[in-house]
Amino acid sequence: YFANETGDRLISESRKLYYSSNVPLERVVVEQLIKGPKTEGRYPTLPADMQILGVSMTEGVCYVNLDKAFADHALNIQEEIPIYSIVNSIIDDCNVKEVQIAIEGETHLTFRESVKLDTFYQKNVNLIQEES
């Protein structure tokens, strides 16, 4: 899921990829989000220079650990869009029920102004823009 033109909704983008089975699919999904959209009318939700520090799975929860570029480089989109770009993409493509995001291993942070990271996020369908 990438941002729409106004940065207040998410638009899906499907990709067919070949990847090593040694790499968790959840990590591949986040890597693709960092690479940005390939379809016109979709806009980046994550900084291109952001690094994934770790991705792990335990009992239906995916833990995503990102470097501080995630918090430092604000794109011109609503504050919950980067979070749900990751959450909705992982939940749609992987066998996951919830996602927790950390910045450099820390979850007791607030992303931008008001999004608490010490939460287990579930898919948010209200942010998804229907395609015309």
Side-chain angles (χ1 to χ4, degrees):
Y1 288 94
F2 293 101
N4 66 357
E5 186 173 7
T6 55
D8 62 351
R9 308 280 283 190
L10 293 167
I11 306 177
S12 68
E13 179 176 286
S14 296
R15 296 186 181 174
K16 291 190 185 320
L17 298 172
Y18 295 100
Y19 66 97
S20 169
S21 59
N22 296 333
V23 177
L25 178 57
E26 297 81 7
R27 184 181 184 97
V28 173
V29 168
V30 179
E31 287 171 350
Q32 291 301 307
L33 291 172
I34 293 169
K35 287 182 180 179
K38 297 188 184 308
T39 307
E40 194 173 322
R42 287 151 179 80
Y43 298 86
T45 56
L46 303 177
D49 61 345
M50 187 180 87
Q51 299 294 310
I52 303 168
L53 302 178
V55 174
S56 61
M57 287 278 304
T58 308
E59 298 176 6
V61 178
C62 178
Y63 298 90
V64 180
N65 188 13
L66 305 171
D67 76 350
K68 62 183 174 102
F70 177 65
D72 291 349
H73 297 133
L75 299 169
N76 193 20
I77 54 181
Q78 277 189 5
E79 60 189 12
E80 72 271 8
I81 293 296
I83 300 289
Y84 284 104
S85 171
I86 295 170
V87 171
N88 288 4
S89 297
I90 289 175
I91 289 174
D92 272 9
D93 294 331
C94 310
N95 189 20
V96 173
K97 291 182 177 58
E98 297 178 312
V99 177
Q100 184 175 46
I101 299 171
I103 298 174
E104 298 196 345
E106 186 62 51
T107 58
H108 297 290
L109 299 171
T110 302
F111 176 70
R112 295 206 187 164
E113 304 278 315
S114 64
V115 182
K116 301 255 183 250
L117 293 184
D118 60 353
T119 300
F120 293 95
Y121 287 98
Q122 296 177 334
K123 185 173 179 177
N124 184 337
V125 294
N126 297 326
L127 290 175
I128 299 171
Q129 176 176 306
E130 294 300 318
E131 294 186 57
S132 48

